[in-house]
Amino acid sequence: MNALMWEAIWSGTSSGDRWPVPPSSVRGARIASICTGAFALAAAGLLDGRTVTTHWASADGLETLYPRVRVDRDVLYIDDDPLLTSAGVTAGIDLCLHIVRKDLGAAVANDIARELVAAPHRDGGQAQYIARSLPEPTAHTLADTRDWALSHLDEPLTLEALARHARVSTRTLVRMWRQETGITPHQWLLTARVNHARELLEVTDLGIERIAAQSGLGTSTSLRARFRDVLGTTPSAYRRSFQRGSEVPERHATP
């Protein structure tokens, strides 16, 4: 945020003023903020008592101005339905894709992500700030290994297998993976597998056991457990809500 924007925020709200928002304008509505848009929601009193996020460089300012708001600096976005907040602008894209995925399913969200040339799914709990320099164009990265993993989700994909593909040690693999994505290989693979299972449920008529196998989640019992933990629903209920056709989805890269 530039100096002029900060000056406007501080001069308008430093005394603890709240911007009036008619209750009828927010009743039943979903409201989302991107980056420092959380300041506007906080100024309206909509974030009091909630845990939210904003750009990491503005988190201290948000907490100082609005002590009744809990700020989580370490996530990309927070869905505290019906109020959603995101970190920086790129995280705002992740939040918007999350909303599309929530309402219309993973296949639609992935189609939009492909048009945007964006990652189809970065989990909200992923770190928003990774303290590292951008790699040189010729630097070794794990992007190819992540793409390879997406085309082999039905295989075990151990750390050893990933490290062998990347031609690095397992210790180096874990370090580089966290540097490049903010999460561990295990967390990344779980997100990719659940996302692929969602797509298969949406656009194919495959049975639950087959989807569990093709997505790498193992058995139908494991698939149901993952859906319950991650989505709060069952695979069958998810399919009833989002099934739209019988085409076989492609696997698209995630960060």
Side-chain angles (χ1 to χ4, degrees):
M1 181 181 295
N2 62 40
L4 290 177
M5 292 176 68
W6 266 115
E7 183 179 354
I9 288 174
W10 280 90
S11 62
T13 62
S14 60
S15 61
D17 294 340
R18 287 292 188 267
W19 299 339
V21 176
S24 60
S25 68
V26 297
R27 188 180 298 123
R30 177 190 286 157
I31 301 177
S33 68
I34 294 175
C35 197
T36 51
F39 282 82
L41 299 187
L46 298 177
L47 302 184
D48 289 355
R50 293 180 181 268
T51 299
V52 306
T53 193
T54 187
H55 191 283
W56 62 268
S58 301
D60 288 344
L62 185 59
E63 275 190 336
T64 299
L65 283 172
Y66 305 104
R68 285 178 284 184
V69 177
R70 297 184 297 272
V71 181
D72 188 339
R73 297 160 170 75
D74 299 322
V75 296
L76 293 176
Y77 57 84
I78 292 177
D79 183 347
D80 188 9
D81 197 31
L83 291 170
L84 303 89
T85 53
S86 82
V89 173
T90 302
I93 295 175
D94 295 317
L95 174 59
C96 291
L97 289 172
H98 165 75
I99 293 172
V100 172
R101 188 178 303 107
K102 189 175 181 179
D103 290 353
L104 302 176
V108 174
N110 285 350
D111 286 345
I112 295 173
R114 187 165 58 250
E115 292 295 323
L116 295 174
V117 195
H121 190 189
R122 291 202 298 168
D123 186 74
Q126 187 168 323
Q128 64 166 288
Y129 175 65
I130 305 172
R132 63 182 175 88
S133 300
L134 293 174
E136 295 295 329
T138 57
H140 179 60
T141 75
L142 299 178
D144 287 344
T145 296
R146 289 192 291 274
D147 287 343
W148 173 80
L150 285 171
S151 63
H152 293 79
L153 290 176
D154 56 341
E155 299 176 14
L157 293 182
T158 62
L159 283 178
E160 290 75 17
L162 294 170
R164 186 162 52 249
H165 183 274
R167 298 184 179 180
V168 296
S169 68
T170 55
R171 184 173 181 178
T172 297
L173 177 95
V174 172
R175 175 178 56 79
M176 291 179 64
W177 205 290
R178 290 188 67 100
Q179 284 179 337
E180 294 177 20
T181 69
I183 54 178
T184 66
H186 174 76
Q187 292 169 317
W188 186 92
L189 284 170
L190 177 58
T191 296
R193 283 171 164 153
V194 170
N195 197 41
H196 188 53
R198 291 170 71 169
E199 282 195 86
L200 290 172
L201 286 166
E202 292 170 27
V203 301
T204 76
D205 293 318
L206 295 175
I208 301 300
E209 286 287 353
R210 191 128 170 242
I211 288 175
Q214 288 195 14
S215 61
L217 291 172
T219 65
S220 59
T221 300
S222 177
L223 176 64
R224 291 186 180 96
R226 294 302 185 188
F227 265 59
R228 183 178 62 249
D229 293 343
V230 176
L231 303 174
T233 189
T234 66
S236 296
Y238 184 89
R239 169 171 269 167
R240 285 194 297 271
S241 297
F242 296 109
Q243 190 170 43
R244 66 172 190 167
S246 58
E247 58 192 281
V248 178
E250 299 177 4
R251 295 167 183 170
H252 305 299
T254 57

